[in-house]
Amino acid sequence: MADAKTADLMEKIVSLCKRRGFIFQSSEIYGGINGFWDYGPLGAELKRNVKELWWNTMTRQREDVAGLEATIIMSPKIWEASGHVSTFSDPMIDCKTCKGRFRADQIDEIPCTQKPSKSVKDCHGEKTAPRAFNLMFQTYVGPVQDDSAIAYLRPETAQAIFAQFKNVLETSRQKVPFGIAQIGKAFRNEVTPRNYTFRSREFEQMELEFFIKPDEAIEAIHGSVVTVPTTGHPGEPQPNWGWQAWHQYWVEERVRFYEGIGLSRQTLGFHVQTAEELAHYARATVDILFKFPFSKRDEKGELKGEELEGIAARSDFDLSQHQRFSGKAMGVFDDELRAAWGKLPKEKQDDLWRRYYENRKKYLTKSGVPDEQAAKQATEDANGLAKGQYIPHVIEPSAGVDRLILALIANAYSEETKTDEKGKSETTVVMKFHPRVAPVKVGVMPLLKNKPELVKKATEVRDLLRPWMNVFYDDGGSIGRRYARQDEAGTPYCVTIDFDTLGEKGPELLDTVTLRERDTTKQERVKISELLPRLLEKIR
């Protein structure tokens, strides 16, 4: 349960988001709709910056990742293959006293609507028995609403990547190991959306499916499979990396990304899923957490954090499922494997064959294939190694955009109290966004708006910077008030055009401006000709 101080902080953050145009409740003029949120002017810029940085980092700056943008509605058979139709559900109960509907595993966290005090979290009314509630939004495709027209809004973006794996592989001229990245909307009909935008019914994901060779293929080609320490970055990828090394690599790469946009390791937590928590097909999953104000606390009273991103080693489950359900081959041909296999001693071939066979049979059996049929299919799959054929395994870093936006806002929020010479104190909010993600990069301000020569020069500076960054032109109120407004919006730099800019105090200050830094409030004179490269260096 959150303490009063934590609840107060979240109330302040929510209030700021509404007041400054970061986040609005969807359909607010009609009373709102629970679990849906709109991003205002500052929020839209913040979200766009984050997605663009992720895309640049994951695709454009790498040679081994290609992009995809798939449809929200796909064949319902995709969700049958992935297991979402049959297993994607939460336990739901109803309260006969307050008529509320809750997730059965979170009943202690949900307030009863009939209780007079908001501090009462556990509704003690009589409950119905838990029942499964599928989280997918159902719709119909075409004019007739019958079972043949049923479709679903996608609950995740990953499955489109698996379904298009072969097309992307062939058209992008990639070879395993390589990845496919996608950013897009997903929808889950959550029983109880909660914690502001953290758990919503409409949200956005940034997902990478990074396809790798099975360890048996690596060992056949390179003689052994390298494993790496489970702490720290393992360095540049190596040809003899197995799934464990790739998994550790992507955990650390994702942490580097968060550090690069202002979330230090001190604000993050890590949860290594136990054997009981892992999906049946996963070999390992590490959740990267952020210590939100509403996060639960450990026995020492420290915030434990809530999930920002999961990095999962998903074996070959997904491609195998789509191969079974679609009847289309999802394997790849690896000439290097075929050549290496023929040079292996017979006992080594037999050892690798057996291990691959056992893994494939285990997958097929757990997927419901009868033993005899599973053994036959696993034999065919294992025989494919000698021909250079296998189904790739995958490492999946999957992040929530909206959760990350909320983390950045919570991390940036700070209050500063200043006392003037008369002893009057004033508390202001400063949003300390990293310059790379800040919605507005620079505020441009003429000292006075009723001096045409100052306004003319200020608009020239604004137009100089606009093609390269988001600029906010502000000429209303005192310069101090304008600085405060930009601080509250998270703008890292402000440029003031004053009479020195016009050279009124001497030619040495002609065409210079005052550059103010948000976090230190330090001000310095900078030549207009040097302003753009100076700011670009800081915001990039």
Side-chain angles (χ1 to χ4, degrees):
M1 184 181 298
D3 56 30
K5 185 176 180 181
T6 294
D8 182 58
L9 175 57
M10 278 307 301
E11 286 183 8
K12 290 180 178 180
I13 289 173
V14 172
S15 175
L16 172 86
C17 287
K18 170 69 183 300
R19 184 175 73 252
R20 290 312 310 262
F22 283 99
I23 300 171
F24 306 133
Q25 187 172 23
S26 176
S27 311
E28 182 179 326
I29 62 172
Y30 293 99
I33 178 170
N34 196 18
F36 297 89
W37 302 91
D38 297 335
Y39 287 84
L42 290 179
E45 290 290 340
L46 176 62
K47 194 174 187 183
R48 183 177 294 273
N49 290 344
V50 167
K51 291 191 293 184
E52 189 67 21
L53 284 167
W54 186 91
W55 190 260
N56 280 332
T57 300
M58 300 296 268
T59 64
R60 294 175 183 167
Q61 295 179 23
R62 299 185 65 99
E63 297 291 335
D64 57 356
V65 176
L68 178 71
E69 185 167 333
T71 58
I72 288 171
I73 295 177
M74 300 181 288
S75 167
K77 293 184 181 300
I78 285 179
W79 307 113
E80 294 174 17
S82 66
H84 284 81
V85 172
S86 59
T87 64
F88 193 60
S89 61
D90 277 341
M92 180 179 69
I93 62 173
D94 291 329
C95 177
K96 297 181 180 180
T97 300
C98 73
K99 310 303 180 185
R101 181 162 287 167
F102 313 117
R103 269 181 57 173
D105 57 340
Q106 294 174 350
I107 186 60
D108 291 338
E109 303 175 22
I110 307 299
C112 171
T113 57
Q114 295 297 314
K115 296 291 183 180
S117 172
K118 290 183 179 179
S119 64
V120 177
K121 287 292 185 182
D122 185 7
C123 173
H124 296 286
E126 184 182 356
K127 306 295 191 298
T128 63
R131 60 195 186 280
F133 171 74
N134 193 283
L135 300 178
M136 287 197 294
F137 281 99
Q138 182 176 298
T139 187
Y140 296 91
V141 175
V144 179
Q145 295 189 7
D146 58 20
D147 289 350
S148 66
I150 288 176
Y152 303 95
L153 302 187
R154 65 183 180 194
E156 64 176 36
T157 59
Q159 294 306 318
I161 295 176
F162 297 124
Q164 294 289 4
F165 167 72
K166 294 302 287 286
N167 282 334
V168 176
L169 175 66
E170 293 167 4
T171 57
S172 65
R173 300 183 63 83
Q174 293 280 356
K175 291 184 177 180
V176 177
F178 85 104
I180 303 175
Q182 180 174 209
I183 299 175
K185 291 276 191 177
F187 304 82
R188 295 181 184 179
N189 196 10
E190 296 282 353
V191 177
T192 52
R194 58 197 173 95
N195 290 331
Y196 198 27
T197 59
F198 180 81
R199 189 174 296 279
S200 304
R201 289 177 168 134
E202 178 180 337
F203 54 95
E204 206 157 2
Q205 290 182 300
M206 303 182 293
E207 291 195 303
L208 170 71
E209 304 302 329
F210 195 83
F211 300 95
I212 60 175
K213 300 176 183 181
D215 280 11
E216 293 83 2
I218 294 292
E219 191 170 338
I221 296 169
H222 299 286
S224 63
V225 177
V226 168
T227 58
V228 300
T230 55
T231 57
H233 198 291
E236 288 300 307
Q238 301 300 316
N240 57 353
W241 274 8
W243 74 264
Q244 184 271 340
W246 276 113
H247 184 246
Q248 180 63 21
Y249 169 83
W250 278 113
V251 170
E252 291 298 320
E253 282 290 291
R254 299 304 303 135
V255 173
R256 281 185 175 182
F257 174 80
Y258 290 126
E259 290 178 318
I261 59 174
L263 300 182
S264 67
R265 281 184 184 261
Q266 287 70 39
T267 68
L268 303 176
F270 301 88
H271 173 67
V272 180
Q273 291 192 12
T274 64
E276 292 74 25
E277 294 173 307
L278 285 173
H280 68 84
Y281 50 79
R283 288 179 162 177
T285 297
V286 172
D287 296 328
I288 299 177
L289 317 175
F290 177 77
K291 299 173 184 177
F292 289 99
F294 51 77
S295 298
K296 295 179 181 178
R297 297 181 181 271
D298 60 21
E299 60 278 2
K300 297 180 181 179
E302 300 292 331
L303 291 173
K304 293 193 293 186
E306 304 289 340
E307 183 184 348
L308 275 186
E309 175 167 358
I311 298 93
R314 294 174 63 98
S315 69
D316 56 9
F317 172 78
D318 299 283
L319 290 180
S320 295
Q321 283 290 96
H322 289 297
Q323 178 171 283
R324 283 203 311 119
F325 276 74
S326 70
K328 304 294 175 56
M330 289 292 176
V332 299
F333 168 73
D334 191 319
D335 189 62
E336 190 178 18
L337 171 60
R338 184 178 65 175
W341 189 270
K343 300 175 183 178
L344 293 175
K346 180 65 165 56
E347 58 271 19
K348 186 66 173 179
Q349 290 179 347
D350 291 345
D351 176 53
L352 295 175
W353 186 97
R354 184 179 63 257
R355 283 154 50 190
Y356 194 77
Y357 166 84
E358 290 173 352
N359 286 331
R360 294 296 298 161
K361 186 173 184 296
K362 181 180 178 181
Y363 149 72
L364 291 164
T365 302
K366 283 194 171 183
S367 298
V369 179
D371 282 351
E372 184 176 345
Q373 184 180 343
K376 180 181 178 181
Q377 183 61 57
T379 299
E380 293 179 6
D381 293 342
N383 288 341
L385 290 175
K387 304 173 186 177
Q389 296 172 345
Y390 58 82
I391 294 179
H393 288 224
V394 69
I395 306 296
E396 179 193 74
S398 175
V401 181
D402 305 88
R403 291 184 176 188
L404 178 51
I405 298 304
L406 184 56
L408 290 169
I409 290 173
N411 184 67
Y413 186 91
S414 65
E415 295 180 349
E416 296 183 358
T417 301
K418 298 179 181 179
T419 304
D420 62 22
E421 63 275 5
K422 297 181 181 179
K424 182 181 178 180
S425 297
E426 182 181 23
T427 300
T428 59
V429 173
V430 180
M431 296 297 289
K432 296 185 177 181
F433 291 118
H434 192 288
R436 297 179 75 196
V437 299
V440 178
K441 306 303 184 188
V442 59
V444 174
M445 309 170 182
L447 185 64
L448 298 172
K449 68 178 181 180
N450 60 352
K451 296 294 183 182
E453 59 273 30
L454 290 178
V455 171
K456 181 175 183 295
K457 183 61 72 171
T459 56
E460 289 175 0
V461 172
R462 177 200 64 189
D463 294 343
L464 170 70
L465 302 177
R466 257 186 180 171
W468 303 93
M469 63 194 73
N470 192 21
V471 180
F472 188 86
Y473 183 88
D474 192 353
D475 61 7
S478 69
I479 199 69
R481 287 296 179 190
R482 283 183 267 172
Y483 284 157
R485 283 199 294 266
Q486 292 306 309
D487 288 347
E488 197 174 51
T491 305
Y493 303 102
C494 286
V495 173
T496 303
I497 289 79
D498 54 25
F499 292 104
D500 289 346
T501 310
L502 304 178
E504 293 190 4
K505 290 187 178 180
E508 69 277 2
L509 294 178
L510 178 66
D511 286 334
T512 66
V513 294
T514 298
L515 179 62
R516 174 188 183 266
E517 186 177 17
R518 178 197 62 212
D519 295 343
T520 64
T521 68
K522 177 183 176 183
Q523 300 184 29
E524 59 179 316
R525 300 299 297 190
V526 176
K527 293 180 180 180
I528 292 176
S529 61
E530 298 175 357
L531 188 59
L532 178 58
R534 183 83 167 271
L535 288 171
L536 286 176
E537 180 183 3
K538 292 176 180 293
I539 67 174
R540 289 182 177 177

